[in-house]
Amino acid sequence: MDAAADRKLFLGARLKRLRRDLALTQTAMAADLGVSPSYLNHIERNQRPVSAQLLLRLADTYDVDLRSLNQGGAADEARLTEILADPLFKGLSAPRHELVQLLEEAPGVADAMLRLYQAFDDGRTRSRAAAENGEGLVETSPAEWVREYIQSRGNHFPELDQLGEALSEALTAEAPVHADGFEPAARHRLAAKHDLGVRTLPAEVMVEWTRRFDLHRRRLLLSETLGPSSRAFAIAYQLALVEHGQALNDLVQAANAPDDATRSLLKVALTNTLAAATLMPYAAFQRTAEETGYDLARLQARFGVSYEQAAHRLTTLSRPTARGVPFFLMRVDQAGNISKRYAAGAFPFSRFGGACPRWRLHSAFRTPGRIVTQIIETPGQDGKPGGRWFTFARTVERQGHDGFGETHDLAVGLGCELRHAHRLAYALGLDLERPDVTPIGPACRLCHRHPCAERAAAPIDRPLAVDDWSKSVSPYPFAAA
C-alpha cells in the first residue's frame, strides 16, 4: 500500500482551532458530526486519527475546505525556519521534524513564537534607528501591531461583512445604487438620518488632509484631489462610523490593543474594512468575482471602486459558505518600502523583511497602469520543491497631495497558489501544467539562492566567499552551509 495513502492523520490541534473559530463546544460539534463527545475529545488530543469519513462530514457540515485544516503549515514552517536563521539562535539545533511537530501539536504556541519574534525584531530595528539618531528606545509600532492582529484573523471579519451588506441593502432601498451610484445614496442617508453634509474643498484649504470631519458644523470635508472612487470610499467611511460606531468600538475593545495609539489605528483599519464591505457587499462581490474570472477591471466598473480597493477586497473573501480564491496582496513604493501586506491564505514571502527583487511587482513601475503576470516559485525544504504561485501586478496612483509638488505611483501585487490560477482571467492562454517559473527567495539576508545578480545582501547565516582571482555575477557570493 502506498505510504502516503496509509498515513494516519492527526489534526487534533487544527480541529480544536476550527471548533473554537466556530464558537462551538465539544458536545455541540460532536452532535453536528454524529460522533460522541469522548471520541471528538480523543481526536483533539491526538489520541485518535481523523478518519476519511469524519473529514467528509466536516466538509459537508461546516463547508470547510479540507485543505484549510493544514493551510499555512508549509508557510508557518518556513517562517519558523526563517526565525531560527537569526544569529540570535546561533548554535541552537532545531531539526525540521521538531518544527513540524510543534506546528501539528501546538499551533497556538507556534503562533505565539512568531508574534514574539515579530515584536522583538521590530523593537531591535527601531532601537538601532533610535541609537543612530541619538534617541531612546522606541516601542513596537502601532502599525505593526495592527497588521499582525488583522493577519491573525485571516484578514476576515464576518461581523463587518454582515453589517456592510445590511447597510448596502438599506441604501439600495432608499435610493437604488444602480440608478445613480453609491455616492448620491450615501450623501442622502448622511443628510436625512444623521444631519451630516458633505463638501469638497480646494487642496490649498484642506492642506495636508484628504478627508476631515468638522464636528462643530457637522460636515464631512473632502479634498478636491480625491478621485471619484476615493471620494466614495471617504463617504462610506464616514457612514460606517456614524451607523456602527459602537460595533467598531466593541471590536477594538475585544482586540486588547496595548495603547491608545494602537487602538485608534485599529479602529481606522476596521472602519476601512466596513466601508469596503458597504461599497462591495460580500455576496455580490464574491459572485461577480467568480463570474468574471476575478477581472479587476470588471469589478471596478460594477462596484464603482478603484483597482486597489477591489484588489484589497479580494484578500478578504473567506466566508465558509462562499469562499473566494485565497489571495495575498503586497503594496510597495518605488523605493521598495512595503505599505500593505495582507493574505487570505498562505503567505509565501518573508514576514521580517522585504520582497524578492526578482518578483515583477517591482518592475511594474516600468509599465505604469499595465498588468504584468508571473509564476514564481518559493524555496523548498529538505530537498522538496517549493510552492508555486501565480501573481499579477500593476501600478496605481497615490491619492491626495502631500505638498511637495510631486506625486508618486505605488505598485500593487496580488497572487495565489498556482492550483487556483485556472479560475483567473489573467491566466488565460498560459500553460499552467508546464509553466515558465521564476525562482525567488525571501528577503536577501535570509535567501540561500545562488548565484543571483540582484542580491542586495549576503545571507546572515553564510560567510562571504570573495577572493582576488574571480568575480561572481552576484555582488555577494557566499560559502555553502
Side-chain angles (χ1 to χ4, degrees):
M1 181 179 290
D2 181 76
D6 194 43
R7 186 181 62 186
K8 296 181 179 179
L9 292 175
F10 291 92
L11 301 174
R14 300 198 179 276
L15 183 60
K16 183 186 296 183
R17 175 174 291 184
L18 172 65
R19 178 172 61 79
R20 289 177 176 172
D21 288 344
L22 295 170
L24 295 173
T25 64
Q26 278 190 344
T27 301
M29 177 174 269
D32 288 346
L33 299 176
V35 298
S36 69
S38 61
Y39 177 65
L40 184 61
N41 180 266
H42 284 309
I43 291 176
E44 288 191 357
R45 296 168 63 183
N46 280 333
Q47 294 177 349
R48 300 282 285 274
V50 179
S51 66
Q53 291 85 352
L54 186 61
L55 284 174
L56 293 175
R57 286 183 207 164
L58 276 169
D60 183 59
T61 304
Y62 302 119
D63 190 28
V64 174
D65 183 348
L66 297 181
R67 293 168 296 197
S68 70
L69 287 177
N70 199 32
Q71 186 183 64
D76 286 342
E77 182 186 334
R79 290 167 63 196
L80 286 174
T81 302
E82 176 184 333
I83 286 174
L84 292 172
D86 192 299
L88 175 71
F89 302 109
K90 186 176 182 179
L92 179 65
S93 175
R96 179 176 179 270
H97 71 85
E98 291 186 7
L99 299 184
V100 173
Q101 184 177 11
L102 174 65
L103 290 166
E104 289 181 349
E105 299 184 4
V109 175
D111 284 345
M113 182 176 176
L114 291 166
R115 290 192 193 185
L116 281 171
Y117 181 82
Q118 178 72 70
F120 162 76
D121 192 56
D122 290 341
R124 178 171 60 182
T125 300
R126 288 170 177 77
S127 295
R128 288 171 179 168
E132 291 175 0
N133 293 328
E135 303 169 1
L137 293 179
V138 181
E139 297 292 334
T140 299
S141 79
E144 290 296 337
W145 193 98
V146 170
R147 178 185 293 175
E148 287 302 312
Y149 175 74
I150 291 175
Q151 196 54 55
S152 74
R153 292 283 303 261
N155 197 25
H156 179 57
F157 294 85
E159 53 274 78
L160 296 182
D161 281 329
Q162 292 171 6
L163 292 176
E165 284 182 313
L167 185 51
S168 179
E169 290 174 2
L171 289 168
T172 303
E174 294 170 1
V177 173
H178 296 297
D180 300 310
F182 171 86
E183 187 176 332
R187 283 175 179 261
H188 178 268
R189 186 175 178 90
L190 281 173
K193 186 173 181 180
H194 304 287
D195 191 28
L196 296 180
V198 180
R199 284 195 63 188
T200 300
L201 298 178
E204 55 267 24
V205 175
M206 293 295 287
V207 194
E208 65 179 287
W209 309 106
T210 58
R211 168 184 56 80
R212 193 171 188 181
F213 181 61
D214 182 345
L215 181 61
H216 179 67
R217 293 183 175 85
R218 298 189 64 76
R219 295 184 306 179
L220 174 62
L221 307 178
L222 303 177
S223 172
E224 65 181 354
T225 62
L226 292 178
S229 59
S230 294
R231 188 172 60 244
F233 196 93
I235 294 173
Y237 180 97
Q238 190 64 46
L239 187 60
L241 271 181
V242 297
E243 294 265 344
H244 297 297
Q246 187 56 54
L248 291 164
N249 288 336
D250 291 343
L251 283 172
V252 171
Q253 185 67 27
N256 197 28
D259 52 51
D260 288 342
T262 306
R263 282 187 286 274
S264 296
L265 192 60
L266 177 59
K267 185 174 181 180
V268 169
L270 295 178
T271 310
N272 281 329
T273 299
L274 179 51
T278 305
L279 281 164
M280 298 166 276
Y282 191 103
F285 187 83
Q286 189 270 343
R287 182 174 58 253
T288 305
E290 286 287 346
E291 291 172 351
T292 62
Y294 292 82
D295 187 330
L296 282 158
R298 298 278 297 279
L299 293 170
Q300 286 179 255
R302 181 73 58 86
F303 295 94
V305 296
S306 70
Y307 181 92
E308 183 177 347
Q309 289 165 0
H312 195 153
R313 185 63 167 140
L314 287 178
T315 69
T316 68
L317 302 183
S318 297
R319 180 177 286 178
T321 55
R323 295 182 188 276
V325 169
F327 283 104
F328 60 83
L329 175 148
M330 185 179 289
R331 187 182 71 183
V332 301
D333 62 19
Q334 295 187 55
N337 299 306
I338 299 172
S339 52
K340 274 188 181 181
R341 180 162 51 188
Y342 295 112
F347 191 67
F349 302 108
S350 168
R351 297 295 296 276
F352 311 111
C356 177
R358 294 168 63 87
W359 185 24
R360 286 183 187 163
L361 168 64
H362 304 283
S363 62
F365 292 107
R366 301 174 190 167
T367 54
R370 292 181 57 190
I371 289 178
V372 293
T373 63
Q374 184 182 28
I375 296 174
I376 58 177
E377 182 178 83
T378 50
Q381 297 286 333
D382 298 336
K384 297 180 180 178
R388 290 187 170 184
W389 316 81
F390 179 82
T391 71
F392 53 101
R394 61 156 280 186
T395 58
V396 296
E397 291 185 0
R398 191 193 299 269
Q399 290 294 314
H401 190 275
D402 59 12
F404 291 99
E406 187 175 355
T407 58
H408 299 280
D409 289 344
L410 302 168
V412 173
L414 279 167
C416 63
E417 292 180 74
L418 186 59
R419 61 190 174 91
H420 297 295
H422 68 280
R423 298 164 64 181
L424 310 182
Y426 303 105
L428 292 177
L430 297 179
D431 185 350
L432 299 178
E433 295 298 324
R434 293 174 296 177
D436 181 17
V437 178
T438 301
I440 70 165
C444 290
R445 66 189 183 93
L446 301 168
C447 180
H448 295 155
R449 290 197 186 278
H450 186 71
C452 176
E454 298 182 75
R455 176 174 288 280
I460 58 177
D461 58 345
R462 297 285 192 275
L464 282 173
V466 180
D467 59 54
D468 296 339
W469 310 103
S470 58
K471 178 178 175 58
S472 170
V473 296
S474 171
Y476 298 100
F478 55 89

